[in-house]
Amino acid sequence: MVHYIRFLRTPQTDVNPKTIDVSAVVAVTTDLGDALYSKDLELIITVVEANHPHGVLHTDTAMWQAGSRALKLKVNCHGKYRSRSVRLHVTTKETLFALKMLDVPRIVDVWSVTFPLNEKQRTEPIVERQFFLPNRSRLRMWEETGDSIARHIWDAGLGFLLYFAQALSSSPSPGVSTFAALLKSNKVRRLKVLELGAGCGTVGVAFAQLVKCDMVLTDLDDAQEILASNIKCASPLAGSTIKAEVLDWTSGLGDSSNAKYDIVLVSDCIYNPDSSLHLVEILRQLATRTPNLLILVGFKRRHEADTIFFERMQKTRFEVKESINIPLPHTMTDQDTDAPMAEFYTYTFRPATDD
Ligand SMILES: C[S@@+](CC[C@H](N)C(=O)[O-])C[C@H]1O[C@@H](n2cnc3c(N)ncnc32)[C@H](O)[C@@H]1O
């Protein structure tokens, strides 16, 4: 399982005569929040100056114990730092090393919002995750601390980062070669890419930071604010553009957008059998407009119902060109029998005239 350091309570400051205390409560859990990290883990807690990411004002460590459900953190900053704008970063030694190596870490660390070292108010329930892509660009993703499906980062999105790294490598493995060939053949032209159910935008933003493209991130209305924040923080490749739009699969494409795309990306969107059927219909409408459309579906298998999507895709004349399972970074627990995988399927559409 990939684990994520989460704030159960976001940072709060307490001003004392000589120190300023920053406290928070964290847990180390999976993306669904259904399993806690089950081993001892040393957490590194750093108070960093907001405008100088290397300006460390205070560092401390705390032990997440096997069997913990939550861990209270408290660091005492020197009183001379009063009123400075800071962020709280909670990480592990291994995570810092993985990020330095441009790897996706098996424990994803967390950055708070900026807050002044004098305010007693708890910071907003929103945090930043950071990853580094193969071209060394930093992927910054804001997500909510609560249980929202859309405003939250999912394992499959991290699987896509590994997929893109393979597709862009000098020797792409067989399961990614169709996608890799499309990227290679379009070095000059800007690819037109659509992401469906983009959530926070991990997949689409990462793609636009790696490949020259016009990226349209779509999701329901309630994901638009977090998408806008993440587009604002993005570092698209020179020549790339990123924008967000509302696209509800249940409403269909409509006539308003006649845009044609080269690639459609779909990450972790097939868990609900009802909306899966609408999703396939949207894909059919898109593929009918653009005969050579390549669709990349990635997900982490969690439910029996996931198969409904694949059955409907087959019935709707979509063909799997290639598939691959990519192991996610993980810590094996006693309950795990296999390493967790992100599964990827590359689809093209077979028009009815083929018969
Ligand atoms: C599990 S999240 C995955 C988010 C993102 N793709 C990722 O991998 O991090 C599923 C996403 O599908 C979106 N979604 C669900 N039903 C939808 C619909 N009818 N139309 C558009 N998006 C929908 C949700 O809002 C959510 O963002």
Side-chain angles (χ1 to χ4, degrees), residues 206-255:
F207 189 88
Q209 292 194 188
L210 288 166
V211 178
K212 194 155 73 168
C213 67
D214 289 321
M215 172 64 66
V216 184
L217 306 173
T218 67
D219 205 302
L220 300 171
D221 209 20
D222 69 346
Q224 297 304 313
E225 197 178 328
I226 200 98
L227 274 175
S229 305
N230 286 330
I231 291 173
K232 214 166 149 192
C233 292
S235 314
L237 207 64
S240 279
T241 65
I242 317 178
K243 65 175 179 180
E245 283 176 5
V246 174
L247 198 169
D248 181 345
W249 314 327
T250 59
S251 313
L253 272 188
D255 297 332

Side-chain angles (χ1 to χ4, degrees), residues 54-69:
H54 302 294
V56 173
L57 301 188
H58 189 90
T59 300
D60 227 322
T61 57
M63 208 59 191
W64 171 267
Q65 310 269 0
S68 302
R69 303 198 63 76

Side-chain angles (χ1 to χ4, degrees), residues 156-176:
L158 306 188
F160 267 86
L161 304 187
L162 300 170
Y163 185 99
F164 294 155
Q166 287 208 18
L168 291 164
S169 76
S170 49
S171 50
S173 42
V176 307

